[in-house]
Amino acid sequence: MCRNSYFLLVCLLLGTTTTTTIVLGGNFTKDFDVLFGGQNINIEDGGNSISLQLDQVTGSGIKSKYEYLFGRFDMQIKLVPGNSAGTVTAYYLSSAGPQHDEIDLEFLGNLSGDPYLLSTNIFANGHGGREVQFYLWFDPTTDFHTYSVDWNPQRIIILVDNIPLRVMHNRKSIGVSFPTKQPMKLYVTLWNGDSWATRWGQVKIDWKKAPFVASFRNFKANARVADCRDQFDEGSIKKMKEIQSKWTVYDYCLDFRRYSHGLPYECRKQNKLASS
């Protein structure tokens, strides 16, 4: 049985091609609560857009009223312009508790003229360490771009402007944890991460440039009931591989120093999938 209560529970009709979409949680006024720094939050356009600020007193953040179990989540974001070194703009899904699940997109600010770094990570049952980082191949501060998480029981896809950037498959069959059971809320935050965010903390925030502002609009949460099989066309796969080959800064599956005694199971040659 499917039911839609305070959190969204999605029925999995595996083996069929039927798809039902429920749009839920797209208004920043009605569907989100203040997480911290309420004085630095500005909601506009009837709840369709929001700006978060970071100053020397506090950053700011919001969280969804709803919890979601599977779906696609799209957000248009315009990042902090100019010298954004030390700032972290985060857009992520997370459950509660020490054994939490989480899907992270963290945008790490940089000195003027240097590219933004998009750091992605996935936690399951409290275990993370699955970072893959990319330089953005465009200026994310001059206009809005769409950042998406598409999550179902078989895989997680992270997309930028509808281009798949990273795919992580459910590899529970080989003992790799994957988020399938815990509903997650959606979080949007802007905060001071200068202890680590830019060149591992070597470049600090220039508070003379404050307040720092990031803008968000047109959030959509599409919870889907489907068999969840991917239908990537050849062009999308080719584009993803081009971006990965040119713009990947760090991939935990290639960190032989960190895993000197053996790579994680899903990273080992015999276990890897072509689109992982």
Side-chain angles (χ1 to χ4, degrees), residues 234-246:
E234 291 184 5
S236 294
I237 295 174
K238 181 179 179 182
K239 186 66 175 178
M240 177 173 67
K241 290 181 177 179
E242 288 175 355
I243 290 173
Q244 289 176 343
S245 66
K246 187 174 182 180

Side-chain angles (χ1 to χ4, degrees), residues 51-66:
S51 62
L52 302 180
Q53 291 190 12
L54 165 67
D55 57 30
Q56 285 181 284
V57 176
T58 184
S60 49
I62 58 173
K63 63 178 179 179
S64 65
K65 295 179 185 291
Y66 296 100

Side-chain angles (χ1 to χ4, degrees), residues 31-253:
D31 301 314
F32 285 80
D33 292 322
V34 172
L35 182 63
F36 65 99
Q39 68 271 31
N40 283 350
I41 298 173
N42 185 30
I43 300 177
E44 301 174 315
D45 190 24
N48 291 319
S49 63
I50 188 172
S51 62
L52 302 180
Q53 291 190 12
L54 165 67
D55 57 30
Q56 285 181 284
V57 176
T58 184
S60 49
I62 58 173
K63 63 178 179 179
S64 65
K65 295 179 185 291
Y66 296 100
E67 291 180 309
Y68 306 96
L69 186 62
F70 311 128
R72 172 159 172 157
F73 308 88
D74 301 305
M75 182 80 77
Q76 292 185 331
I77 304 174
K78 183 162 64 173
L79 295 173
V80 174
N83 182 0
S84 58
T87 68
V88 178
T89 304
Y91 165 53
Y92 62 101
L93 292 154
S94 183
S95 64
Q99 303 300 315
H100 73 294
D101 294 342
E102 189 165 311
I103 305 170
D104 275 339
L105 282 74
E106 292 186 325
F107 303 88
L108 310 184
N110 217 328
L111 295 168
S112 300
D114 289 345
Y116 254 87
L117 188 69
L118 170 55
S119 181
T120 67
N121 199 359
I122 295 169
F123 288 74
N125 300 321
H127 299 290
R130 298 166 174 177
E131 302 94 338
V132 181
Q133 298 178 336
F134 308 87
Y135 279 134
L136 294 176
W137 55 98
F138 52 85
D139 185 347
T141 71
T142 59
D143 203 354
F144 286 89
H145 292 265
T146 302
Y147 303 90
S148 307
V149 174
D150 196 330
W151 167 42
N152 69 41
Q154 283 74 46
R155 50 85 186 129
I156 294 166
I157 308 174
I158 294 173
L159 306 97
V160 177
D161 290 332
N162 212 37
I163 299 170
L165 190 64
R166 178 182 180 183
V167 180
M168 182 170 182
H169 293 275
N170 183 341
R171 309 305 308 282
K172 282 189 174 181
S173 61
I174 60 171
V176 180
S177 56
F178 190 87
T180 57
K181 295 182 179 180
Q182 300 188 75
M184 296 192 269
K185 290 190 175 185
L186 187 130
Y187 296 78
V188 180
T189 60
L190 174 60
W191 46 282
N192 175 3
D194 72 1
S195 63
W196 63 273
T198 305
R199 301 180 189 174
W200 300 110
Q202 296 180 35
V203 183
K204 302 298 184 181
I205 289 180
D206 181 359
W207 290 112
K208 291 182 290 186
K209 305 293 185 182
F212 302 95
V213 180
S215 302
F216 309 80
R217 71 183 187 188
N218 296 336
F219 170 61
K220 294 180 182 178
N222 299 301
R224 299 176 305 164
V225 181
D227 72 347
C228 304
R229 288 176 290 186
D230 298 324
Q231 297 294 328
F232 284 154
D233 57 61
E234 291 184 5
S236 294
I237 295 174
K238 181 179 179 182
K239 186 66 175 178
M240 177 173 67
K241 290 181 177 179
E242 288 175 355
I243 290 173
Q244 289 176 343
S245 66
K246 187 174 182 180
W247 298 104
T248 300
V249 178
Y250 173 84
D251 185 337
Y252 77 108
C253 278

